[in-house]
Amino acid sequence: MDWTENPMTLNRHMTVAVVSLLLTGALPAQAQPSGPTTHAEAPARLTPAERDTALAAITEAVQKSYVFPEKRAAVLERLSQSRKAGRYDVDSPLLLAERVTDDLKGSSGDLHLYLQHAPARYAAAKAPKGEGVDADAYRRNQALREHHGLTETRVLAGNIRYLKIAGFRWTRDETGAAYDDAMRFLKDGDALILDVRGNGGGAHAAVQYLVSHFLEEGTLLMTFHRGSEPPVQSRTLEHVPAGRLKGKPLYVLIDGSVGSAGEDFVYDVQQFKLGELIGARTSGAANNNWFTPIPPAFMLSVPEGRPVHSVSQTNWDGVGIAPDVEVPTAQALEVAHSRALKGLMATSAPTPAQRAEYTWAQVGIEARLHPVSIAPARLKSLAGRFGEMQATFRDGALWLVRDRRQDARLTPLTQDGLFAVEGSERLRVRLTGKALELSRLGEPTPVVLARS
């Protein structure tokens, strides 16, 4: 069943069927909202009556729908206590959303239980289908403005293909086409790095489409349970236009901000052993959440279902997903790039040209991971004129000076005088004190210029 088209018999006027893990429809959910609102407009002030109506609706939704009945009493008690203590006696919708969210999460430990002040989202959720900016139009606009979450592609040194997935947005057909283009780009790489750091979630349909490129068709991914309704299974797709990428060395960058559908993908990588996870443990938000519009302009995220993975027979809720290689977030890309190159050198039987390219790239990565420092006196001793070129010392660094070209700063790569040339990944200089050796990637021997 496609839950986008049939939102599981939910009351259309009260609940928008939005599941951050399974649904392809309505409004994309986020496991960890960055704040109590998703919009920058100045919020209106709440009247006491509006506040009371909102709190009553929140209480009703939690009591009726929260996936863990054993936790409902504690959540409702926290809300009641805060209300009686005057904690919610504020006229700022942003502050109310923040305080309610703190109490919801604090009493449940569930990252998918929260309140947002989101006027535009609320209006879209309440709009009749096909009239103005309804839920479908809102979702499509979000996906298009963010290029479906596929925000950056790069060819890294050594033909390692990089894709940044900032969120798992989904709008039917258009998102699939965007993924097709991205997968074709990845397919020509020697190894792949997918960066989901900061990916707070989205739609399971996007995850399903992505993972289908790395597994056989029909592979069971998840079984989604929701109350007394029949379980719903998700399997890999039969056809992916870009072709499958099975067997490509895969490295996935993760951090503590990865949640919900972001973790859905990461968990597939881990459980199906599709590649290495590099970075820090993810947040631990697994349950399927639906959004309920709460007047006058709030959206309440309530987990109403839970996923069970086909391999582990459980999920990652509350514990997150541990990396295979734990490194600081800022170093995750360099570490993954280095491991990809080393893996290719060890297992892919590279050609001499590929081996030279991988070695070249590895030197640069190691210098970024472990910056080389050379004393000013030593740098000054390496300066001089070499044929038509000069290495000059200024501003605490060496600079390569060439006729009719902009001066380029030289960054040390090794202690023995190898330097990167600013602005060129394919050019390097080695200074020995007696000569300047100019090396270009792909050329077997450097050009050697003696000191004048």
Side-chain angles (χ1 to χ4, degrees):
M1 177 184 293
D2 185 333
W3 288 10
T4 301
E5 301 301 331
N6 181 4
M8 304 287 289
T9 69
L10 297 177
N11 185 325
R12 182 171 179 80
H13 299 290
M14 287 301 296
T15 306
V16 178
V18 183
V19 188
S20 66
L21 288 177
L22 183 58
L23 285 185
T24 61
L27 310 175
Q30 295 296 324
Q32 293 175 289
S34 59
T37 182
T38 57
H39 300 280
E41 65 263 30
R45 294 299 173 182
L46 289 173
T47 67
E50 287 174 331
R51 185 176 63 237
D52 290 344
T53 298
L55 291 171
I58 292 165
T59 299
E60 180 183 358
V62 172
Q63 175 64 55
K64 178 181 179 181
S65 303
Y66 187 36
V67 67
F68 298 113
E70 68 277 10
K71 292 185 178 182
R72 291 175 190 168
V75 174
L76 297 176
E77 178 62 22
R78 176 74 69 87
L79 293 175
S80 178
Q81 288 178 354
S82 291
R83 191 172 183 178
K84 291 176 181 177
R87 175 170 160 78
Y88 303 146
D89 292 346
V90 296
D91 63 0
S92 166
L94 290 173
L95 185 56
L96 180 64
E98 182 179 291
R99 290 183 177 181
V100 169
T101 292
D102 287 345
D103 288 340
L104 291 172
K105 289 184 178 181
S107 57
S108 67
D110 196 322
L111 297 178
H112 272 127
L113 190 59
Y114 58 84
L115 182 70
Q116 290 181 330
H117 178 248
R121 237 176 140 173
Y122 175 86
K126 299 296 286 184
K129 187 173 179 63
E131 295 186 16
V133 182
D134 63 6
D136 290 341
Y138 181 92
R139 184 188 77 252
R140 180 176 182 273
N141 182 61
Q142 290 286 93
L144 294 180
R145 289 185 65 81
E146 299 173 16
H147 193 59
H148 311 275
L150 308 176
T151 56
E152 184 181 0
T153 56
R154 276 194 278 163
V155 180
L156 304 179
N159 193 29
I160 311 302
R161 299 296 174 99
Y162 168 93
L163 172 64
K164 173 67 177 179
I165 308 176
F168 282 105
R169 298 295 190 188
W170 184 263
T171 182
R172 183 166 298 221
D173 296 336
E174 290 166 296
T175 300
Y179 269 93
D180 294 342
D181 290 341
M183 294 303 104
R184 292 187 182 100
F185 166 79
L186 294 178
K187 197 169 187 178
D188 291 332
D190 293 359
L192 315 178
I193 297 176
L194 302 189
D195 186 354
V196 297
R197 291 174 295 180
N199 185 323
H204 173 74
V207 176
Q208 179 189 34
Y209 201 89
L210 174 60
V211 169
S212 294
H213 292 82
F214 298 93
L215 291 167
E216 292 285 354
E217 65 179 75
T219 301
L220 178 61
L221 301 173
M222 291 281 189
T223 301
F224 295 92
H225 299 267
R226 187 182 183 205
S228 60
E229 296 171 358
V232 176
Q233 291 185 336
S234 170
R235 296 178 179 272
T236 54
L237 303 177
E238 177 180 352
H239 173 66
V240 284
R244 308 213 180 247
L245 299 173
K246 291 166 48 184
K248 286 277 186 181
L250 175 64
Y251 302 83
V252 179
L253 312 185
I254 62 175
D255 65 9
S257 297
V258 179
S260 193
E263 289 176 291
D264 181 4
F265 171 65
V266 172
Y267 202 65
D268 281 337
V269 173
Q270 181 194 69
Q271 295 299 311
F272 289 115
K273 304 184 186 308
L274 302 179
E276 285 191 1
L277 305 178
I278 313 292
R281 183 180 292 270
T282 63
S283 64
N287 299 315
N288 310 127
N289 58 323
W290 274 251
F291 276 91
T292 299
I294 302 291
F298 297 101
M299 296 298 289
L300 176 67
S301 169
V302 179
E304 299 183 18
R306 60 184 179 86
V308 175
H309 197 273
S310 62
V311 176
S312 68
Q313 293 302 304
T314 184
N315 60 50
W316 58 92
D317 197 63
V319 295
I321 304 163
D324 297 304
V325 181
E326 186 170 5
V327 297
T329 299
Q331 295 182 1
L333 176 56
E334 301 292 356
V335 170
H337 193 179
S338 175
R339 292 181 69 84
L341 294 169
K342 290 176 181 177
L344 290 169
M345 291 280 280
T347 63
S348 68
T351 64
Q354 287 175 321
R355 183 176 294 277
E357 187 177 359
Y358 299 156
T359 302
W360 179 284
Q362 188 69 56
V363 171
I365 295 169
E366 288 302 316
R368 290 192 290 273
L369 284 172
H370 309 287
V372 174
S373 178
I374 299 178
R378 169 66 174 156
L379 293 176
K380 290 178 182 178
S381 72
L382 297 176
R385 174 172 287 279
F386 304 88
E388 296 181 352
M389 299 185 185
Q390 291 186 67
T392 63
F393 180 83
R394 66 174 186 267
D395 301 328
L398 286 174
W399 295 75
L400 183 65
V401 179
R402 294 170 288 178
D403 290 343
R404 297 183 298 280
R405 296 193 183 187
Q406 185 174 348
D407 295 357
R409 188 186 183 100
L410 299 179
T411 302
L413 296 174
T414 63
Q415 288 289 348
D416 63 355
L418 182 64
F419 294 84
V421 179
E422 183 180 39
S424 176
E425 291 286 339
R426 305 181 65 86
L427 187 66
R428 286 178 182 167
V429 165
R430 183 184 297 278
L431 294 167
T432 66
K434 295 182 179 180
L436 181 152
E437 300 175 1
L438 194 67
S439 298
R440 288 184 173 84
L441 179 61
E443 295 185 1
T445 57
V447 175
V448 180
L449 302 172
R451 184 192 290 271
S452 300

